[in-house]
Amino acid sequence: MAVQNWIRINQNIRVARLDSDDDWYASSVQDINEREFCISVPLKESRPLVLSKGEQVKVSFIADMTRYEFITKTRGRRYDNIPLFVLAMPKEYTRVQLRDFVRVPITLEVDYARIPIGGKEPVFLKADSIDLSGGGIRLLINNDLAAETRIIIKFTIPLKTGPQEIEVVGRVVRIWADERTRLRQAAIQFVKINRKQEDLITRFLFNIMSEQRRLR
């Protein structure tokens, strides 16, 4: 499938010069057609990335739990209420499935409960996360959970647009003693999660990784 099927107006993207060491700037798509697309001036901490006609750049964005990256050429500038750069639509791109490969260390307050039977209300317990991905979470818990146990998991992710509540169902894949504490670690796979929740988690992790790269 051509990459233009995934590039949409208002799509958040990252842009970097081809010769830079992954020095990414934030931008968004403002207009698009079959041959090219227009983006807002890329910014990094209010510092603009000024591109010249003919200059090659790297572009990266996330859509449908996949990170797309490609190299393209700057075709010029345009002004449509705001200044824009015009980029050529790429013919080739790479894609990486984020659900399976991106796992970010992060501490979040988590509520979890075994799925009740007989119409009873779930009894939630507190835990802290150790890491998170689009497909699962690792928890530090103070009680035992058997492998294959289904649990309800609730946590909040702090996005720039505001906090987002996530509630999913997970399956305990593995549980083992934590060497540094008397607690236990539980690896959980999400088994009931919708597309919006996947996208929110992926965006959150993507923001963390971008900030970590910026601080290196």
Side-chain angles (χ1 to χ4, degrees), residues 31-49:
D31 196 11
I32 185 171
N33 60 44
E34 292 183 357
R35 299 185 304 276
E36 58 193 23
F37 61 103
C38 297
I39 65 170
S40 59
V41 175
L43 296 174
K44 182 177 182 180
E45 296 180 343
S46 74
R47 179 164 51 93
L49 177 65

Side-chain angles (χ1 to χ4, degrees), residues 2-216:
V3 73
Q4 55 260 45
N5 292 312
W6 300 109
I7 300 177
R8 302 180 178 92
I9 291 178
N10 295 324
Q11 173 82 52
N12 291 322
I13 65 172
R14 299 188 304 156
V15 182
R17 283 195 168 91
L18 189 59
D19 58 356
S20 72
D21 186 19
D22 286 339
D23 187 18
W24 295 102
Y25 288 66
S27 181
S28 62
V29 177
Q30 299 297 312
D31 196 11
I32 185 171
N33 60 44
E34 292 183 357
R35 299 185 304 276
E36 58 193 23
F37 61 103
C38 297
I39 65 170
S40 59
V41 175
L43 296 174
K44 182 177 182 180
E45 296 180 343
S46 74
R47 179 164 51 93
L49 177 65
V50 180
L51 302 174
S52 302
K53 185 176 181 179
E55 183 175 3
Q56 287 189 309
V57 294
K58 296 179 289 187
V59 175
S60 173
F61 68 93
I62 290 176
D64 195 32
M65 290 300 295
T66 301
R67 184 175 69 243
Y68 295 85
E69 292 187 358
F70 55 84
I71 296 172
T72 187
K73 184 177 291 186
T74 306
R75 287 189 167 176
R77 301 188 185 190
R78 202 176 95 186
Y79 192 88
D80 187 4
N81 295 324
I82 60 172
L84 304 172
F85 287 112
V86 182
L87 304 181
M89 192 66 70
K91 295 181 179 179
E92 298 180 351
Y93 62 92
T94 60
R95 52 184 292 174
V96 178
Q97 290 289 339
L98 295 180
R99 171 192 288 274
D100 298 324
F101 295 104
V102 175
R103 182 172 292 276
V104 176
I106 182 70
T107 301
L108 299 170
E109 293 183 357
V110 178
D111 294 313
Y112 72 96
R114 290 179 173 86
I115 295 179
I117 58 176
K120 296 181 180 179
E121 290 294 320
V123 178
F124 283 93
L125 301 172
K126 298 288 186 181
D128 290 322
S129 69
I130 298 174
D131 56 41
L132 175 67
S133 75
I137 191 169
R138 186 155 52 110
L139 300 179
L140 198 60
I141 62 177
N142 58 13
N143 71 323
D144 207 0
L145 284 173
E148 301 301 324
T149 300
R150 300 289 177 109
I151 59 175
I152 304 167
I153 304 166
K154 298 195 296 186
F155 56 94
T156 301
I157 52 176
L159 294 175
K160 294 178 181 179
T161 54
Q164 294 287 335
E165 303 289 335
I166 303 292
E167 181 173 334
V168 298
V169 174
R171 176 180 67 90
V172 179
V173 176
R174 189 164 70 95
I175 189 162
W176 66 98
D178 185 80
E179 296 179 356
R180 297 170 300 173
T181 69
R182 296 182 179 179
L183 302 178
R184 301 177 71 79
Q185 291 191 31
I188 313 295
Q189 177 190 15
F190 298 148
V191 294
K192 286 188 179 180
I193 181 171
N194 61 42
R195 178 66 57 80
K196 180 180 178 181
Q197 291 170 324
E198 289 179 342
D199 289 344
L200 288 171
I201 292 172
T202 301
R203 190 195 316 167
F204 172 58
L205 300 179
F206 186 75
N207 290 341
I208 292 175
M209 291 187 295
S210 296
E211 182 65 16
Q212 289 173 342
R213 282 193 291 264
R214 185 185 69 81
L215 295 175
R216 287 175 185 170

